[in-house]
Amino acid sequence: MKTMLQNLIIQGWPESVAVIIFCLAILRQGYQLRTVVLYGFLLATAVCLVRILPIPLGVHTLVACLGLTIVLRILAGVSFATSFYTTFIGLFVLACTETLVHVLYITFFGDVAYGDGWQWILIGWPQILIIMALTLLIKKYNSKSYKVGKTIEYRSYDVND
């Protein structure tokens, strides 16, 4: 239980915040950091609670998918379909970065198991940093694409447009 709480605070919460900010950047939406941190905590807590339950392994991913879709719908004000598509992009990028980081770690340092405590928790930080770097690249690209004078006009893409 102690490791699960550490995982929630040190890896799960920052990872959720990073994915939410990444998805908002894709949607070209601004955000208030305090609100994103709150929703990130709620999302990470929901996923963590599902992991504790004696249910099949992939169910926490479904909870993350549904939770992130709802969060994006609330924060960005886009349609459910648009938030659903953006959720899949965000979680796909998370899965790819997670796989890349784990493969590199295994190649250089050997295998690591979920029960290895701090080592497992800290292995998640490179993927968080990669996602934040991708977010900055997306924001930089968006700001170059839609500059109007000295202000930036953010446009969101909605399925209904």
Side-chain angles (χ1 to χ4, degrees):
M1 185 66 171
K2 182 179 176 184
T3 304
M4 186 64 78
L5 186 60
Q6 291 170 340
N7 190 2
L8 169 68
I9 294 169
I10 298 170
Q11 183 192 6
W13 190 4
E15 186 176 275
S16 294
V17 169
V19 172
I20 291 170
I21 292 173
F22 176 79
C23 289
L24 289 171
I26 291 172
L27 292 169
R28 299 179 180 180
Q29 296 289 319
Y31 58 88
Q32 292 181 344
L33 187 58
R34 178 179 282 185
T35 305
V36 171
V37 168
L38 173 67
Y39 279 111
F41 180 74
L42 294 174
L43 183 61
T45 302
V47 170
C48 187
L49 290 175
V50 169
R51 279 187 178 156
I52 292 173
L53 299 174
I55 53 178
L57 187 59
V59 176
H60 76 283
T61 305
L62 295 175
V63 169
C65 224
L66 180 62
L68 184 57
T69 300
I70 293 168
V71 166
L72 292 176
R73 174 83 172 107
I74 293 168
L75 292 179
V78 294
S79 71
F80 188 76
T82 301
S83 61
F84 193 68
Y85 294 139
T86 309
T87 293
F88 273 107
I89 293 169
L91 292 181
F92 178 75
V93 169
L94 175 65
C96 289
T97 57
E98 193 171 290
T99 301
L100 174 70
V101 167
H102 280 268
V103 166
L104 289 174
Y105 187 88
I106 289 169
T107 301
F108 291 112
F109 302 109
D111 202 8
V112 62
Y114 183 74
D116 287 345
W118 283 104
Q119 189 177 12
W120 180 266
I121 292 170
L122 294 177
I123 201 174
W125 269 91
Q127 67 204 27
I128 295 168
L129 297 175
I130 292 169
I131 290 173
M132 291 309 293
L134 290 173
T135 301
L136 291 174
L137 287 173
I138 291 170
K139 288 184 135 210
K140 184 176 181 179
Y141 173 77
N142 285 345
S143 67
K144 285 184 179 179
S145 298
Y146 292 98
K147 279 194 177 178
V148 180
K150 291 188 176 183
T151 61
I152 300 171
E153 179 183 323
Y154 287 100
R155 298 181 185 172
S156 66
Y157 293 104
D158 204 344
V159 174
N160 298 327
D161 289 344

